Every structure is written in C-alpha cells, then in structure tokens.
Amino acid sequence: MRLLPRATTRATTRVIPRRWLAAWLLAPLLAGTAAAQLQPLTLASDPAFIARAALGAERGTLVVGTLRNGKPAYGAAYNPEPPSPPRAIEPNSAEQPMFEIGSITKVFTGLLLAQAVERGDLKLDDSVGKLLAGKVEGLSPAVASVTLRQLVTHTGCMPVMADGVGGGAPLAEQFRSFDKPMFWAALTRIKLTAAAPPCEGAYSNFGMALLGQLLAEHYGTSWGELVRARITEPLGMNDTVITLGDKASRMAPAFAGDRRQPLLDMQAYAPASALRSTAADMMTFSRAIIAGAGGPLGPAAVRMLTPLAHYEGAEIGYAVMVRGPEGGRRTYWHAGLTEGYRTLWLIAPDTNEAIVVLGSNARAPLQPVMLAIGKSRYPVPTTEVPLDPQRLDDYKGDFRITRTKALSFTVRGSKLLVRETGRGYNALTPTGTDRFAVVGIGAQFVFRRDAANAVVAVSLTQGGSQLDARREGAAAAVPLPQ
C-alpha cells in the first residue's frame, strides 16, 4: 500500500506490483500519485470525462458507469480511437463490452456469505475444520480454527496465495492451474502468517477462494452456480459470467501497457477473481445493494455492508471495503486487477450514487480517480495557516505504522516534508495547530503531544480512512508556545 504520492510521476504506471492480483487492492483511497492533482473528479462528473482520465495514455477500452438519482449513465474512452465514432453505450444494450472484473468478484462471494448467514444456514464463527469435517483430511489445528468471519475480512492469517507464491508468472499460473483437488491438497500445506487467527487484516486471494469453495461444499454445488442462482439470475445480470461461450467476442481486448494479454481463466480460485461483466450489469448490482432490505436482495444487502473488522486504517464488511465514520457518510468499494484488466466498483448509499470503472489495460491509472472521489467525499482543511519555522523541529523523526511501514518527517528550509518507507519526500502545508495537509490528494496529518508537550504520535486521514503512527525513540519535551 502506498500512502503518499511519489515525489515524481515518472513511470508510475509502467510497473505492475509484484503481487499484481492483490497488491493494488491494498492501495485504496489512502494512496496517491501526482496525477491526482491535475483534475477534480466527483461521483457527479461526466462519465466520459472520468473514462478519459482513468484510461490516460494507455491502450485499450475503458467504460465508466455512474448512478445518480436512480438513473445510470455511461461514458467510454478508447486508445487508439476507432476510425469512426463509436455508438453511445446505452443502459440496456446487449452489446456493452465485457471485462474481467478481477477481485470485485470477491464482493459476490461476500454477498453469498451474507445471504447464507441471513438465512441461518451458516454462522460467521463456523470454522474451516467444522465445515470440512470428513471431507478434507490433514488440516493443521490452526488452519482448522479459521472462521468464515476471518476469511471474508482477510483476518484469517492466510497467505496471499498457496505454496509461498507471491506474484508474477507463478501467481498467474496458480490462478489458472489449480483445480479443486489441487486446492484442497494445498490447504493441508498452508502455513498461516501467524501462530493462530485472528490477524491484522492482510489481503488473501487464497482465503477468499477458500470461503467460496466452503460455501459451494455446504450447498452441494459449484461456486459459479451459487452466483448464478442467488445473484445474477434474480437480478437479470445476464452478462456477468465465468464462462464466456458466445459472449467471447464482446470482451474488450486486454493489455498491460502496450502488450496484449490473454484472458485469465481459473477453476478453484474462481471465488476470488473469475467473473466477467459489463458496466450495465454492475450498475444493476449497485442499485440492488443501495436499495437495501427493501430491494431485490433483501436484508442480505444490508448485512453485506456491515463492518466486521478493522482493515487498512478503516473497516471491512463482507469482503467490501468500508470508508468513513460510523454513523456518518460511508463509502463502500472494491477494486480488481488481472493481467489485462483494471477495475473499480464503489457505492455511496447516503447520496444514492455509484460508479463502476472497467478498463482493459492492467496499467490504466485508476488510482487518481479513486483519490479524487475520496477527496471530494471526505474533504480536509487546506487553507494555509502561518507557522513559526522554528516549531517544525517538533515534528522531525520517524513514526511507526506497522512492522514494515513508517512515516518519516524532516525539515528543509521552512517546509516540513514527509515520506513513507521507500518513497520520496512530499511537502506539507500547515493548516492549524499540529495539523498539516498534502493538499492535492486530500490527506491530513494531525500530530499528538504528551503531557510534557512532546510530539509522540501522528494520525494520517485520507478518503475516509485513518492510520495512526507512534513516534520511534524518545521525543524531547518542548516549551509551550507563548
């Protein structure tokens, strides 16, 4: 996860993260690039304008669907532009281009669990060992103890993938090759990331695939059939499928930068990333969730959004990322990334708005779009307040977020600068007592002092999330300002 923008924008979209099917999802509204400062975007922006910003200079097709006042609207961007102007994308068109939605698939798995719990068929505290009793032998006690709640919130100490795979070609190969026997065999070899759950939230494709397969086993069917019978068919989402069949020609050609990419077909990992869909279908899905208990999905739509655990400075529901304060303006979202597609799904029930961004290039710069929406929904003070430069030394030092991540503050001239571990420095604007902002991306830093007036901690808030960091080493007490 990148908390702050790079000091330079050079080549920011040219390298796919090492754990390319997971890592980008850990860069939510807490991350940024300088590109986010170039143009304001909100959920009310023209979808064609958003599409052009989200595709940038990358090749491929990108479709944006937005929902406002119950009405969907669509816009698209193409690179290269087609020789003749493309037809407008109609809400009910059966010819909308299709995309791999990647890990947005996990939201469907989360909804299936919410439905099962709502029906009383399963409980969140049901364990892997209980559900696989007599079916899979050789589970370690720790793995057997992992619960459905922990799987759906990424707090089950599960690795990203099986057998130590972290990214690159081995990750893609495991997605493609693992069938159910291979998956169950891998489960007996799984080494948790800690002695026993629960753990601090850590993204796991394997864990979410396991959840989907447990649901399928419980109901004696396949995960794909559960999705069809309980979600897509009741909602009329006829273009949301795993197997393309005669829809294959409608897939937007996939790219990573300028390189064409193959489709990503999978078997046992299907509950984590296998679905293909259209903007129109995802708008139908969004309306059903926003409609709540009175909508076509009933109480499960409300349950799905209920926070179950803390995750990445915010909360997570049934595989849905939750931003914003309890009882206040909340945003629910997930993103996806495969070898050739990059996607975003986000709903704002408080304003009855939604957006889906479907791009056929894994390097499409969607992150600035996420940042801009977060900045518009959760604004922070940005007006500069005069500050005595001599006070800046109060804030110098390192502040630890996690074992591997810290914020470092230094002073250059009359400016306080901050960087995240492994990144470049960015200048901060003073906005109040012990308060600073990175104005372009809507991030705010609030320092906290102890009884001796020494700065001992800092909180980073951005896009409805908050990360807290403690100062490393002793902080010197300083005189109170006169």
Side-chain angles (χ1 to χ4, degrees), residues 364-413:
L366 268 61
Q367 196 164 291
V369 173
M370 299 173 70
L371 270 171
I373 292 172
K375 180 181 174 183
S376 70
R377 282 184 60 77
Y378 305 100
V380 301
T382 58
T383 301
E384 185 168 0
V385 174
L387 177 68
D388 182 354
Q390 294 184 5
R391 306 296 303 182
L392 294 179
D393 284 345
D394 294 3
Y395 312 108
K396 288 171 58 176
D398 296 327
F399 294 74
R400 177 64 52 187
I401 301 172
T402 65
R403 182 176 58 83
T404 59
K405 193 178 301 297
L407 296 171
S408 298
F409 295 86
T410 192
V411 176
R412 291 180 187 168

Side-chain angles (χ1 to χ4, degrees), residues 134 165 264 470:
V165 168
L264 185 59
R470 298 289 301 179

Side-chain angles (χ1 to χ4, degrees), residues 248-285:
S249 62
R250 292 173 53 196
M251 288 295 292
F255 295 89
D258 292 331
R259 186 186 297 273
R260 282 294 304 267
Q261 295 294 318
L263 298 182
L264 185 59
D265 296 311
M266 59 191 73
Q267 302 174 66
Y269 272 101
S273 290
L275 288 176
R276 286 80 180 241
S277 191
T278 64
D281 266 16
M282 291 305 299
M283 284 295 100
T284 297
F285 183 71

Side-chain angles (χ1 to χ4, degrees), residues 22-168:
W24 189 77
L25 306 182
L26 301 183
L29 304 179
L30 298 171
T33 66
Q37 304 180 42
L38 298 181
Q39 48 193 335
L41 294 172
T42 72
L43 292 175
S45 296
D46 175 55
F49 176 73
I50 300 174
R52 290 191 294 272
L55 184 60
E58 299 296 346
R59 292 195 64 184
T61 300
L62 193 141
V63 176
V64 170
T66 59
L67 183 68
R68 296 195 73 212
N69 301 318
K71 296 181 180 179
Y74 301 92
Y78 307 90
N79 186 21
E81 289 283 348
S84 58
R87 290 183 296 174
I89 296 178
E90 298 295 334
N92 299 316
S93 171
E95 298 179 358
Q96 283 210 3
M98 298 183 68
F99 302 80
E100 292 178 351
I101 64 171
S103 284
I104 297 175
T105 299
K106 293 176 173 66
V107 174
F108 289 76
T109 299
L111 176 55
L112 289 176
L113 177 60
Q115 291 173 330
V117 173
E118 192 65 37
R119 294 180 183 200
D121 295 345
L122 290 168
K123 296 180 175 61
L124 283 173
D125 293 330
D126 287 341
S127 68
V128 172
K130 173 184 176 180
L131 295 174
L132 291 180
K135 297 180 179 181
V136 177
E137 303 294 333
L139 299 181
S140 72
V143 169
S145 74
V146 175
T147 66
L148 298 180
R149 179 192 303 269
Q150 291 158 359
L151 291 177
V152 83
T153 59
H154 299 291
T155 58
C157 313
M158 287 284 171
V160 176
M161 303 289 286
D163 300 327
V165 168

Side-chain angles (χ1 to χ4, degrees), residues 126-306:
D126 287 341
S127 68
V128 172
K130 173 184 176 180
L131 295 174
L132 291 180
K135 297 180 179 181
V136 177
E137 303 294 333
L139 299 181
S140 72
V143 169
S145 74
V146 175
T147 66
L148 298 180
R149 179 192 303 269
Q150 291 158 359
L151 291 177
V152 83
T153 59
H154 299 291
T155 58
C157 313
M158 287 284 171
V160 176
M161 303 289 286
D163 300 327
V165 168
L171 186 149
E173 176 57 28
Q174 188 172 120
F175 264 95
R176 286 190 168 91
S177 64
F178 265 40
D179 57 18
K180 278 193 177 181
M182 295 171 69
F183 188 86
W184 296 128
L187 181 62
T188 67
R189 302 189 299 269
I190 283 291
K191 303 295 184 184
L192 298 185
T193 59
C199 288
E200 181 179 347
Y203 198 84
S204 174
N205 288 309
F206 186 87
M208 199 61 65
L210 174 58
L211 171 61
Q213 296 303 344
L214 290 173
L215 290 168
E217 287 292 321
H218 181 76
Y219 290 110
T221 186
S222 68
W223 176 84
E225 176 58 22
L226 279 178
V227 171
R228 184 200 64 77
R230 299 194 174 182
I231 303 176
T232 58
E233 189 171 279
L235 295 182
M237 296 172 62
N238 299 320
D239 287 334
T240 302
V241 297
I242 300 174
T243 303
L244 288 166
D246 60 5
K247 301 179 190 292
S249 62
R250 292 173 53 196
M251 288 295 292
F255 295 89
D258 292 331
R259 186 186 297 273
R260 282 294 304 267
Q261 295 294 318
L263 298 182
L264 185 59
D265 296 311
M266 59 191 73
Q267 302 174 66
Y269 272 101
S273 290
L275 288 176
R276 286 80 180 241
S277 191
T278 64
D281 266 16
M282 291 305 299
M283 284 295 100
T284 297
F285 183 71
S286 301
R287 285 199 301 269
I289 300 299
I290 291 174
L297 293 171
V302 178
R303 180 178 291 277
M304 170 188 172
L305 303 182
T306 303

